[in-house]
């Protein structure tokens, strides 16, 4: 009876706080003190019931925040807007390509419109950091993220990751006979002319592949920060591979027993659908240095007038609960290790792969120049 009374009392307090902050046509708001009360009462109720409460520890106050992202399509924006509203957040989206999001943030640097930005990739995040577009903030869940994915200075923090893999069809090539690292492709004669490379370097995946190779040979005295040995590795990569066929999916090649191409690059979230489409069974290399990850992150925009609410949203969005729900809804691999068990079986296996330690600041500074050099000097 005492427990029931306590639960009813908590809900009465929550209702009272919400009702007091409600105006016609306006979402409810709460003060910081009220926010702390709601959070504490939620935690207390959870403890009394001996189970996890059906909400995160951080709730919104109803202040409208604007979010820029390149990851709001396929229902993501709609789902997030509705789910956030359940926990007191009012959000509006600008959904665009990664480059457009970056350009908008740069153009609005002196008069920012966005409060929060999420998605993108490590290369763009480092560029935004350099341009003073972001403000440092350490979310409550920062320590739950896989090591090496968060910005060490706290400007951006990882929410979703996917591995960039060197793949093959296990029905055609046994794992034991496949390359164990990208470098094997051009140093082992068995793979000569049997792997595909892209001739366009504009995409994020191919840039992650190149970053994973080149940063192994970082040299401040070298051309564009890379040693002569590193550039020789790139030269060999293009000399011994096969250019992609225009309009043809890599998996159409590796599934064809008459096609010499057996290996190539693929992002992890694209594997399951291709195995289903082509009847393949994907295997992939696990280099000793780890695999590059394309990492989506979240950050607060420097100059936002809603910084406290932006902080609450970041604490909420990257939490294990919300990222677990996000993973279930959109088949993603959470960066938050406490949410990985909510991902599907395939993504849980991907989560076990070691992450390559890449100097993303070096990449962000040089990637455009690297790609230009490669296009002019190495791609046949």
């Amino acid at each position: 009876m005492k427990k029931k009374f306590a639960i009813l009392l908590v809900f009465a307090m929550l209702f009272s706080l919400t009702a007091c902050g409600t105006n016609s046509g306006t979402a409810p708001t709460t003060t910081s003190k009220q926010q702390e009360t709601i959070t504490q009462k939620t935690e207390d109720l959870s403890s009394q019931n001996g189970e996890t409460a059906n909400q995160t520890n951080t709730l919104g106050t109803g202040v409208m925040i604007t979010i820029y992202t390149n990851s709001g399509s396929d229902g993501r924006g709609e789902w997030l807007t509705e789910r956030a509203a359940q926990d007191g957040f009012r959000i509006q989206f600008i959904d665009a390509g990664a480059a457009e999001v970056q350009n908008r943030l740069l153009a609005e640097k002196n008069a920012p419109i966005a409060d929060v930005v999420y998605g993108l990739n490590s290369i763009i995040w480092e560029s935004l950091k350099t341009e003073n577009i972001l403000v440092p903030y350490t979310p409550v869940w920062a320590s739950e993220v896989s090591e090496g994915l968060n910005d060490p200075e706290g400007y951006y923090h990882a929410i979703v990751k996917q591995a960039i893999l060197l793949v093959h069809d296990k029905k055609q090539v046994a794992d034991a006979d496949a390359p164990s690292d990208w470098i094997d492709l051009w140093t082992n004669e068995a793979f000569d002319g049997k792997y595909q490379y892209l001739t366009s370097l504009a995409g994020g995946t191919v840039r992650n592949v190149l970053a994973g190779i080149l940063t192994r040979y970082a040299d401040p005295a070298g051309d564009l920060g890379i040693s002569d040995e590193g550039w020789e590795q790139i030269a060999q990569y293009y000399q011994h591979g096969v250019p992609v066929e225009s309009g043809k999916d890599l998996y159409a090649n590796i599934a064809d027993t008459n096609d010499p191409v057996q290996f190539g690059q693929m992002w992890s979230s694209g594997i399951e659908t291709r195995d289903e489409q082509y009847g393949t069974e994907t295997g992939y290399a696990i280099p000793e240095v780890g695999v590059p990850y394309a990492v989506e992150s979240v950050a607060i925009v420097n100059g936002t007038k809603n910084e406290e609410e932006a902080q609450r949203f970041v604490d909420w969005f990257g939490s294990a609960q919300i990222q677990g729900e996000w993973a279930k809804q959109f088949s993603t691999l959470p960066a938050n290790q406490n949410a990985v068990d909510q991902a599907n079986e395939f993504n849980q296996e991907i989560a076990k792969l070691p992450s390559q330690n890449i100097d993303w600041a070096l990449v962000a500074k040089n990637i455009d120049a690297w790609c230009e050099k490669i296009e002019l000097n190495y791609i046949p």
Side-chain angles (χ1 to χ4, degrees), residues 203-229:
T205 301
V206 66
R207 288 186 170 213
N208 273 279
V209 170
L210 294 173
I213 297 170
L214 284 169
T215 54
R216 304 185 198 196
Y217 303 95
D219 180 358
D223 187 19
L224 301 175
I226 302 300
S227 69
D228 290 343
E229 182 184 1

mmCIF file of all heavy atoms in Angstrom, residues 203-229:
data_model
loop_
_atom_site.group_PDB
_atom_site.id
_atom_site.type_symbol
_atom_site.label_atom_id
_atom_site.label_comp_id
_atom_site.label_asym_id
_atom_site.label_seq_id
_atom_site.Cartn_x
_atom_site.Cartn_y
_atom_site.Cartn_z
ATOM 1 N N GLY A 203 33.168 9.726 -52.467
ATOM 2 C CA GLY A 203 32.348 9.083 -51.452
ATOM 3 C C GLY A 203 33.036 8.930 -50.109
ATOM 4 O O GLY A 203 34.268 8.868 -50.010
ATOM 5 N N GLY A 204 32.224 8.851 -49.057
ATOM 6 C CA GLY A 204 32.764 8.721 -47.717
ATOM 7 C C GLY A 204 33.449 7.391 -47.476
ATOM 8 O O GLY A 204 34.458 7.320 -46.778
ATOM 9 N N THR A 205 32.918 6.303 -48.067
ATOM 10 C CA THR A 205 33.490 4.981 -47.819
ATOM 11 C C THR A 205 34.902 4.873 -48.376
ATOM 12 O O THR A 205 35.833 4.432 -47.692
ATOM 13 C CB THR A 205 32.603 3.885 -48.431
ATOM 14 O OG1 THR A 205 31.298 3.959 -47.853
ATOM 15 C CG2 THR A 205 33.178 2.504 -48.152
ATOM 16 N N VAL A 206 35.088 5.277 -49.633
ATOM 17 C CA VAL A 206 36.410 5.172 -50.240
ATOM 18 C C VAL A 206 37.409 6.075 -49.517
ATOM 19 O O VAL A 206 38.588 5.728 -49.355
ATOM 20 C CB VAL A 206 36.361 5.498 -51.747
ATOM 21 C CG1 VAL A 206 35.984 6.950 -52.001
ATOM 22 C CG2 VAL A 206 37.690 5.170 -52.412
ATOM 23 N N ARG A 207 36.959 7.211 -49.024
ATOM 24 C CA ARG A 207 37.858 8.098 -48.291
ATOM 25 C C ARG A 207 38.276 7.485 -46.955
ATOM 26 O O ARG A 207 39.395 7.690 -46.494
ATOM 27 C CB ARG A 207 37.201 9.470 -48.104
ATOM 28 C CG ARG A 207 37.129 10.259 -49.408
ATOM 29 C CD ARG A 207 36.618 11.669 -49.225
ATOM 30 N NE ARG A 207 36.799 12.423 -50.478
ATOM 31 C CZ ARG A 207 37.061 13.723 -50.534
ATOM 32 N NH1 ARG A 207 37.159 14.431 -49.416
ATOM 33 N NH2 ARG A 207 37.218 14.327 -51.696
ATOM 34 N N ASN A 208 37.362 6.736 -46.348
ATOM 35 C CA ASN A 208 37.727 6.023 -45.120
ATOM 36 C C ASN A 208 38.745 4.930 -45.410
ATOM 37 O O ASN A 208 39.659 4.686 -44.610
ATOM 38 C CB ASN A 208 36.479 5.425 -44.468
ATOM 39 C CG ASN A 208 35.776 6.400 -43.548
ATOM 40 O OD1 ASN A 208 36.166 6.595 -42.409
ATOM 41 N ND2 ASN A 208 34.726 7.023 -44.057
ATOM 42 N N VAL A 209 38.592 4.242 -46.544
ATOM 43 C CA VAL A 209 39.562 3.210 -46.933
ATOM 44 C C VAL A 209 40.941 3.835 -47.106
ATOM 45 O O VAL A 209 41.945 3.337 -46.577
ATOM 46 C CB VAL A 209 39.121 2.499 -48.225
ATOM 47 C CG1 VAL A 209 40.249 1.603 -48.751
ATOM 48 C CG2 VAL A 209 37.860 1.673 -47.986
ATOM 49 N N LEU A 210 40.993 4.929 -47.860
ATOM 50 C CA LEU A 210 42.276 5.593 -48.105
ATOM 51 C C LEU A 210 42.888 6.128 -46.815
ATOM 52 O O LEU A 210 44.103 6.032 -46.598
ATOM 53 C CB LEU A 210 42.091 6.725 -49.114
ATOM 54 C CG LEU A 210 41.706 6.284 -50.533
ATOM 55 C CD1 LEU A 210 41.385 7.493 -51.395
ATOM 56 C CD2 LEU A 210 42.811 5.444 -51.165
ATOM 57 N N ALA A 211 42.048 6.681 -45.939
ATOM 58 C CA ALA A 211 42.547 7.181 -44.653
ATOM 59 C C ALA A 211 43.131 6.037 -43.827
ATOM 60 O O ALA A 211 44.165 6.194 -43.172
ATOM 61 C CB ALA A 211 41.420 7.867 -43.883
ATOM 62 N N GLY A 212 42.473 4.869 -43.879
ATOM 63 C CA GLY A 212 42.951 3.713 -43.123
ATOM 64 C C GLY A 212 44.299 3.217 -43.609
ATOM 65 O O GLY A 212 45.073 2.639 -42.829
ATOM 66 N N ILE A 213 44.576 3.424 -44.894
ATOM 67 C CA ILE A 213 45.873 3.022 -45.447
ATOM 68 C C ILE A 213 46.928 4.094 -45.204
ATOM 69 O O ILE A 213 47.998 3.836 -44.652
ATOM 70 C CB ILE A 213 45.760 2.733 -46.961
ATOM 71 C CG1 ILE A 213 44.817 1.553 -47.216
ATOM 72 C CG2 ILE A 213 47.137 2.458 -47.564
ATOM 73 C CD1 ILE A 213 44.451 1.355 -48.677
ATOM 74 N N LEU A 214 46.632 5.324 -45.598
ATOM 75 C CA LEU A 214 47.632 6.383 -45.576
ATOM 76 C C LEU A 214 48.093 6.765 -44.178
ATOM 77 O O LEU A 214 49.289 7.036 -43.971
ATOM 78 C CB LEU A 214 47.090 7.620 -46.300
ATOM 79 C CG LEU A 214 47.071 7.536 -47.831
ATOM 80 C CD1 LEU A 214 46.278 8.690 -48.427
ATOM 81 C CD2 LEU A 214 48.502 7.535 -48.376
ATOM 82 N N THR A 215 47.173 6.789 -43.215
ATOM 83 C CA THR A 215 47.581 7.237 -41.879
ATOM 84 C C THR A 215 48.523 6.264 -41.185
ATOM 85 O O THR A 215 49.152 6.618 -40.179
ATOM 86 C CB THR A 215 46.346 7.475 -40.984
ATOM 87 O OG1 THR A 215 45.524 6.294 -40.973
ATOM 88 C CG2 THR A 215 45.534 8.658 -41.471
ATOM 89 N N ARG A 216 48.665 5.070 -41.717
ATOM 90 C CA ARG A 216 49.671 4.146 -41.172
ATOM 91 C C ARG A 216 51.082 4.658 -41.473
ATOM 92 O O ARG A 216 52.050 4.227 -40.852
ATOM 93 C CB ARG A 216 49.519 2.764 -41.789
ATOM 94 C CG ARG A 216 48.142 2.145 -41.636
ATOM 95 C CD ARG A 216 48.150 0.730 -42.167
ATOM 96 N NE ARG A 216 46.820 0.208 -42.442
ATOM 97 C CZ ARG A 216 46.551 -1.082 -42.622
ATOM 98 N NH1 ARG A 216 47.528 -1.967 -42.560
ATOM 99 N NH2 ARG A 216 45.324 -1.488 -42.880
ATOM 100 N N TYR A 217 51.192 5.533 -42.454
ATOM 101 C CA TYR A 217 52.492 6.021 -42.914
ATOM 102 C C TYR A 217 52.623 7.534 -42.698
ATOM 103 O O TYR A 217 53.270 8.236 -43.479
ATOM 104 C CB TYR A 217 52.678 5.676 -44.395
ATOM 105 C CG TYR A 217 52.546 4.206 -44.678
ATOM 106 C CD1 TYR A 217 51.328 3.659 -45.091
ATOM 107 C CD2 TYR A 217 53.623 3.341 -44.500
ATOM 108 C CE1 TYR A 217 51.188 2.307 -45.331
ATOM 109 C CE2 TYR A 217 53.500 1.975 -44.737
ATOM 110 C CZ TYR A 217 52.269 1.465 -45.150
ATOM 111 O OH TYR A 217 52.140 0.112 -45.379
ATOM 112 N N ALA A 218 51.998 8.023 -41.635
ATOM 113 C CA ALA A 218 52.056 9.454 -41.336
ATOM 114 C C ALA A 218 53.499 9.890 -41.101
ATOM 115 O O ALA A 218 54.269 9.211 -40.417
ATOM 116 C CB ALA A 218 51.202 9.765 -40.112
ATOM 117 N N ASP A 219 53.853 11.018 -41.708
ATOM 118 C CA ASP A 219 55.210 11.554 -41.586
ATOM 119 C C ASP A 219 55.124 13.068 -41.774
ATOM 120 O O ASP A 219 54.847 13.535 -42.882
ATOM 121 C CB ASP A 219 56.121 10.936 -42.640
ATOM 122 C CG ASP A 219 57.553 11.458 -42.566
ATOM 123 O OD1 ASP A 219 57.828 12.332 -41.712
ATOM 124 O OD2 ASP A 219 58.386 11.013 -43.368
ATOM 125 N N PRO A 220 55.346 13.850 -40.715
ATOM 126 C CA PRO A 220 55.261 15.311 -40.833
ATOM 127 C C PRO A 220 56.155 15.886 -41.918
ATOM 128 O O PRO A 220 55.859 16.950 -42.480
ATOM 129 C CB PRO A 220 55.687 15.801 -39.443
ATOM 130 C CG PRO A 220 55.432 14.649 -38.533
ATOM 131 C CD PRO A 220 55.686 13.410 -39.352
ATOM 132 N N ALA A 221 57.247 15.192 -42.216
ATOM 133 C CA ALA A 221 58.178 15.680 -43.234
ATOM 134 C C ALA A 221 57.808 15.201 -44.629
ATOM 135 O O ALA A 221 58.412 15.628 -45.620
ATOM 136 C CB ALA A 221 59.606 15.236 -42.895
ATOM 137 N N GLY A 222 56.829 14.310 -44.733
ATOM 138 C CA GLY A 222 56.461 13.757 -46.028
ATOM 139 C C GLY A 222 55.493 14.631 -46.798
ATOM 140 O O GLY A 222 54.938 15.601 -46.264
ATOM 141 N N ASP A 223 55.272 14.287 -48.041
ATOM 142 C CA ASP A 223 54.345 15.034 -48.893
ATOM 143 C C ASP A 223 52.925 14.887 -48.352
ATOM 144 O O ASP A 223 52.413 13.774 -48.218
ATOM 145 C CB ASP A 223 54.418 14.502 -50.332
ATOM 146 C CG ASP A 223 53.598 15.340 -51.300
ATOM 147 O OD1 ASP A 223 53.269 16.495 -50.963
ATOM 148 O OD2 ASP A 223 53.282 14.831 -52.392
ATOM 149 N N LEU A 224 52.312 16.021 -47.994
ATOM 150 C CA LEU A 224 50.959 16.050 -47.427
ATOM 151 C C LEU A 224 50.858 15.194 -46.161
ATOM 152 O O LEU A 224 49.822 14.608 -45.861
ATOM 153 C CB LEU A 224 49.925 15.586 -48.457
ATOM 154 C CG LEU A 224 49.864 16.397 -49.767
ATOM 155 C CD1 LEU A 224 48.884 15.769 -50.751
ATOM 156 C CD2 LEU A 224 49.474 17.843 -49.462
ATOM 157 N N GLY A 225 51.957 15.142 -45.425
ATOM 158 C CA GLY A 225 51.964 14.443 -44.145
ATOM 159 C C GLY A 225 52.127 12.946 -44.234
ATOM 160 O O GLY A 225 51.968 12.244 -43.227
ATOM 161 N N ILE A 226 52.486 12.421 -45.436
ATOM 162 C CA ILE A 226 52.618 10.975 -45.649
ATOM 163 C C ILE A 226 54.010 10.665 -46.192
ATOM 164 O O ILE A 226 54.518 11.361 -47.077
ATOM 165 C CB ILE A 226 51.540 10.465 -46.629
ATOM 166 C CG1 ILE A 226 50.142 10.790 -46.110
ATOM 167 C CG2 ILE A 226 51.694 8.957 -46.860
ATOM 168 C CD1 ILE A 226 49.794 10.186 -44.759
ATOM 169 N N SER A 227 54.608 9.597 -45.704
ATOM 170 C CA SER A 227 55.956 9.222 -46.129
ATOM 171 C C SER A 227 55.961 8.717 -47.569
ATOM 172 O O SER A 227 54.910 8.366 -48.136
ATOM 173 C CB SER A 227 56.507 8.123 -45.212
ATOM 174 O OG SER A 227 55.791 6.911 -45.417
ATOM 175 N N ASP A 228 57.149 8.639 -48.156
ATOM 176 C CA ASP A 228 57.289 8.089 -49.505
ATOM 177 C C ASP A 228 56.794 6.646 -49.559
ATOM 178 O O ASP A 228 56.201 6.215 -50.551
ATOM 179 C CB ASP A 228 58.758 8.142 -49.944
ATOM 180 C CG ASP A 228 59.241 9.563 -50.205
ATOM 181 O OD1 ASP A 228 58.383 10.456 -50.366
ATOM 182 O OD2 ASP A 228 60.468 9.774 -50.249
ATOM 183 N N GLU A 229 57.042 5.884 -48.499
ATOM 184 C CA GLU A 229 56.575 4.501 -48.456
ATOM 185 C C GLU A 229 55.054 4.436 -48.531
ATOM 186 O O GLU A 229 54.486 3.573 -49.203
ATOM 187 C CB GLU A 229 57.051 3.811 -47.183
ATOM 188 C CG GLU A 229 56.635 2.348 -47.104
ATOM 189 C CD GLU A 229 57.017 1.684 -45.791
ATOM 190 O OE1 GLU A 229 57.595 2.363 -44.928
ATOM 191 O OE2 GLU A 229 56.716 0.478 -45.637
#
